[in-house]
Amino acid sequence: MVTRMESRVEFMEDVVMSVQGELGVIKQELQKIPNLEQGIAALMKKLDQVVQTQEEAKRENGILQSLMAGKTPKQTDGPIDGNHGREMKLNTRWDLRPRQIKLSSFNGENLDDWILKAERYFVLHRMTNTKKLETITISFEGEALIWFGWENQRRPFLN
């Protein structure tokens, strides 16, 4: 007959085995973090490029509007139209319609495709850098969301 002490020892051995199994799973998940960090770093680099492009487009749009109003532009460093040679229509009915486009979720896969879509989304919605960061973080799913939660606790994103 098994004594009470032996049954407790067996129970504790089972608990230790279960914890060891869970630790193995956690170790596997932690090994994915560097890849997610690289993906997010690439995403942030692309976001900086989008911001720079958007700032250039705003400047060029201001030049175009000045030209259309008959004023002399202050600076002409690049293409005058913000569309780099494509036809630009201002104040059309299309510009006044609300946009119903949604940013797709990011789960850590197909980073380049998602970045391209995110860049277009930001341009269409004329977002500020702060709004872009908020939008990106709420679009994470799966492993990307796990990484973001972990990283945000470790080093919070400020702006």
Side-chain angles (χ1 to χ4, degrees):
M1 190 158 124
V2 178
T3 66
R4 187 172 178 201
M5 183 60 91
E6 290 173 335
S7 65
R8 285 185 177 178
V9 168
E10 287 178 12
F11 173 75
M12 290 305 293
E13 287 175 345
D14 290 342
V15 169
V16 167
M17 294 298 287
S18 174
V19 169
Q20 285 176 339
E22 290 175 16
L23 284 176
V25 171
I26 291 171
K27 285 179 183 178
Q28 290 174 345
E29 292 297 318
L30 287 175
Q31 289 174 349
K32 296 177 182 178
I33 290 174
N35 291 337
L36 290 172
E37 286 178 333
Q38 289 173 348
I40 297 299
L43 181 62
M44 295 304 287
K45 184 177 178 181
K46 291 284 188 175
L47 182 60
D48 288 340
Q49 291 172 347
V50 168
V51 169
Q52 183 180 3
T53 302
Q54 203 171 30
E55 288 171 355
E56 289 172 5
K58 282 181 185 178
R59 180 185 54 80
E60 292 168 355
N61 191 21
I63 292 170
L64 179 61
Q65 287 180 352
S66 294
L67 288 172
M68 291 176 72
K71 298 177 183 176
T72 305
K74 296 179 182 176
Q75 183 179 4
T76 56
D77 288 337
I80 293 176
D81 67 356
N83 293 323
H84 301 283
R86 294 185 299 267
E87 183 178 327
M88 182 175 195
K89 295 180 182 178
L90 299 174
N91 300 324
T92 62
R93 289 179 61 111
W94 178 256
D95 291 338
L96 301 175
R97 284 190 229 162
R99 292 175 174 89
Q100 298 295 326
I101 300 169
K102 294 183 180 179
L103 180 61
S104 60
S105 300
F106 178 68
N107 62 5
E109 299 176 1
N110 300 322
L111 177 63
D112 291 336
D113 295 345
W114 188 82
I115 289 173
L116 179 64
K117 290 177 184 178
E119 289 173 348
R120 297 303 308 149
Y121 183 83
F122 298 147
V123 169
L124 288 171
H125 288 83
R126 298 179 179 102
M127 291 187 169
T128 64
N129 291 344
T130 303
K131 189 68 175 172
K132 289 176 189 177
L133 186 58
E134 291 173 3
T135 302
I136 285 173
T137 58
I138 63 169
S139 68
F140 290 160
E141 285 186 347
E143 293 179 358
L145 181 60
I146 292 169
W147 171 85
F148 175 75
W150 176 79
E151 185 68 22
N152 197 37
Q153 285 180 345
R154 199 176 76 159
R155 289 185 313 208
F157 292 97
L158 301 176
N159 288 2

